[in-house]
Amino acid sequence: MRSIIPGVALSVLCAAPLAGAQAATISISCGAVGLELELCQEGANAWAEQTGNQVEVISTPNSATERLALYQQILAAGSSDIDVYQIDVIWPGTLAPHFIDLGEHIDQEQIDQHFPAIVENNTVDDVLVAMPWFTDAGILYYRTDLLEKYGKEPPTTWQELTDIAKEVQEGERGEGNDRMAGFVFQAKAYEGLTCDALEWIDSFNGGTIVADDGSITINNEDAAEALDLAATWIGDIAPEGVLNYAEEEARGVFQSGNAVFMRNWPYAWALGNADDSAIKGKIGVSALPKGGEDGKHTGVLGGWQLAVSKYSENAELGADLVKYLTSFDEQKRRAIKGAYNPTIAALYEDEEVLEANPFFGDLYETFTNAVARPSKVTGAKYNQVSSEFYNAAHQVLSGKSDAASSLEALESRLDRLSRGGRW
Ligand code: GLC
């Protein structure tokens, strides 16, 4: 496995075929958040062994924002260095022109096992540009031992979370753990903040930035109320440092026992309950809180797909690797070992999967009704929309602007970007 550094050209990967055989080396880019890289390597190795080919796993930056920039650079150059790409659920519209039609390589029967909404998300102009690999939704993690100690139930509104986080944080600090934080989440200026902030806003009924019909909805009072509440957390129930946290930084604090609540994706479950975790067996999971009594429990839809590059010299084999990695058995293995949510509905009824991840059953609705970011309607412009949005949210969280002014300015920028909502 090797890692790639942005800006550095990749060396040619293809090893010489084994003498007399048609073996090839297929390179696949994988994420490295949680157990991702290990699981990707194991799955790819199993395929290689089964088919007599070789694989090279290339690790990419954890930040989705940085990873996209890197992919765009490699793909724009028409490079054949990476055959199979792990792509985010929000990227099909942006990267579609660079990928082959997997519908021509994978049986319809296998495609039909997956959640139809994700298959549809990955289909651009009738081309299946990527196969679903795992899905994600934002969820709330809490410390069962601490809530019990303070006689609290898991919060159902953000205000309740704020109050409980404060009380437990102060109580624990009073008992000597001055590192205890009430709540950790992702507030660095990157794609992860788009997810967190969209959850707060939509849970207050403030919409999803851009509506399905293309209209820009972000400048509204509910959205402003959500962001203003979140801004009060910084330096109070959340450490100042959260302004620079992505998923793994939040998990690090929570898993070492220094946070009451954490917003994260399901993968943190497997690691939090591993033998070396300080909080093994003390973790509860629920849907994220509602904006208020009239609000809703919003978890943003995330997840990753596998796509084959048009510039690959081994597209056929690349598609075969994708077929293997996205299969029922491989998704089951990844779910049990790493808490990566399958995209195959039947696996949510599998006993071994549910035993390893009881919340896959309890929160099934959260996973299947997760709220999408506006990537479909904004198409190739989604990344710009998201970066305008997370920068605006970051301004509010870091106290540089109040939510109302920040959202007003954001609305005009999005208006210009879309030429009046015509994406
Ligand atoms: C997770 C999600 C992905 C999202 C990213 C943001 O990896 O699966 O969809 O874009 O987090 O940090």
Side-chain angles (χ1 to χ4, degrees):
M1 178 240 305
R2 56 195 186 107
S3 86
I4 35 182
I5 302 154
V8 175
L10 297 175
S11 56
V12 175
L13 293 172
C14 289
L18 301 176
Q22 290 303 308
T25 299
I26 300 296
S27 56
I28 173 170
S29 76
C30 290
V33 176
L35 294 172
E36 269 189 307
L37 198 59
E38 187 183 323
L39 289 170
C40 177
Q41 182 83 62
E42 288 169 0
N45 286 350
W47 173 83
E49 219 161 278
Q50 205 176 81
T51 60
N53 293 292
Q54 289 171 16
V55 279
E56 177 149 27
V57 172
I58 298 169
S59 85
T60 51
N62 279 352
S63 156
T65 303
E66 285 171 34
R67 202 182 296 176
L68 177 62
L70 178 63
Y71 282 2
Q72 284 180 314
Q73 192 182 323
I74 298 170
L75 290 166
S79 162
S80 62
D81 285 349
I82 299 179
D83 300 298
V84 177
Y85 285 80
Q86 175 180 335
I87 70 162
D88 202 329
V89 69
I90 49 183
W91 297 345
T94 305
L95 299 179
H98 301 289
F99 298 133
I100 67 165
D101 185 359
L102 287 169
E104 289 175 4
H105 297 262
I106 298 176
D107 294 344
Q108 194 59 40
E109 210 182 310
Q110 186 172 340
I111 297 170
D112 288 344
Q113 291 180 327
H114 299 263
F115 289 126
I118 307 183
V119 173
E120 202 217 302
N121 175 79
N122 297 357
T123 305
V124 180
D125 295 335
D126 292 330
V127 172
L128 180 64
V129 299
M131 274 293 279
W133 198 19
F134 64 94
T135 188
D136 257 343
I139 50 179
L140 182 71
Y141 289 82
Y142 56 89
R143 287 278 299 281
T144 48
D145 56 331
L146 290 176
L147 291 200
E148 198 177 314
K149 178 172 167 189
Y150 290 82
K152 305 289 179 194
E153 292 295 321
T156 56
T157 64
W158 287 110
Q159 190 56 52
E160 265 172 46
L161 176 140
T162 309
D163 298 341
I164 300 171
K166 180 101 183 152
E167 186 180 331
V168 179
Q169 173 182 290
E170 278 174 8
E172 292 300 293
R173 286 187 182 177
E175 288 181 23
N177 182 2
D178 51 354
R179 304 229 313 260
M180 181 58 82
F183 183 34
V184 290
F185 47 95
Q186 295 75 42
K188 176 175 151 177
Y190 80 120
E191 185 62 34
L193 175 56
T194 290
C195 299
D196 288 40
L198 186 54
E199 282 162 353
W200 308 327
I201 289 174
D202 188 61
S203 79
F204 274 84
N205 298 316
T208 56
I209 313 167
V210 176
D212 288 349
D213 66 2
S215 50
I216 298 156
T217 58
I218 189 58
N219 186 17
N220 68 76
E221 278 175 15
D222 295 318
E225 189 185 348
L227 283 186
D228 280 331
L229 173 66
T232 68
W233 297 334
I234 314 293
D236 188 17
I237 59 167
E240 289 277 348
V242 83
L243 290 170
N244 215 17
Y245 282 7
E247 286 79 5
E248 287 292 79
E249 287 79 15
R251 181 174 69 83
V253 173
F254 186 71
Q255 200 172 307
S256 58
N258 291 323
V260 187
F261 296 111
M262 168 175 74
R263 182 271 177 211
N264 216 322
W265 308 101
Y267 84 95
W269 172 262
L271 293 151
N273 283 308
D275 286 338
D276 62 356
S277 164
I279 53 166
K280 179 180 176 173
K282 298 177 181 164
I283 308 172
V285 170
S286 74
L288 287 163
K290 299 194 285 187
E293 288 315 320
D294 309 331
K296 50 189 177 190
H297 297 282
T298 301
V300 152
L301 176 73
W304 293 83
Q305 338 298 318
L306 292 175
V308 176
S309 167
K310 255 191 186 160
Y311 319 111
S312 165
E313 282 157 15
N314 291 297
E316 189 84 29
L317 280 175
D320 195 61
L321 173 58
V322 168
K323 188 172 155 183
Y324 178 88
L325 290 175
T326 57
S327 68
F328 184 97
D329 288 348
E330 180 59 11
Q331 290 206 0
K332 176 168 174 172
R333 186 184 74 86
R334 293 172 55 90
I336 293 172
K337 198 164 170 190
Y340 289 98
N341 280 62
T343 56
I344 298 176
L347 282 167
Y348 289 79
E349 284 164 20
D350 183 284
E351 270 176 35
E352 289 165 281
V353 169
L354 290 175
E355 196 192 321
N357 309 288
F359 68 99
F360 279 17
D362 303 339
L363 297 184
Y364 186 69
E365 294 290 308
T366 303
F367 297 122
T368 49
N369 293 323
V371 171
R373 286 161 274 175
S375 54
K376 199 85 183 166
V377 61
T378 59
K381 290 200 173 128
Y382 171 74
N383 192 47
Q384 281 163 281
V385 171
S386 177
S387 89
E388 294 289 3
F389 176 65
Y390 65 64
N391 283 319
H394 201 267
Q395 291 273 322
V396 179
L397 295 177
S398 54
K400 296 196 182 100
S401 169
D402 64 273
S405 342
S406 176
L407 294 182
E408 197 184 326
L410 173 63
E411 179 184 44
S412 340
R413 280 197 292 273
L414 296 183
D415 195 56
R416 245 173 288 138
L417 183 63
S418 65
R419 296 177 314 267
R422 289 186 301 276
W423 302 95

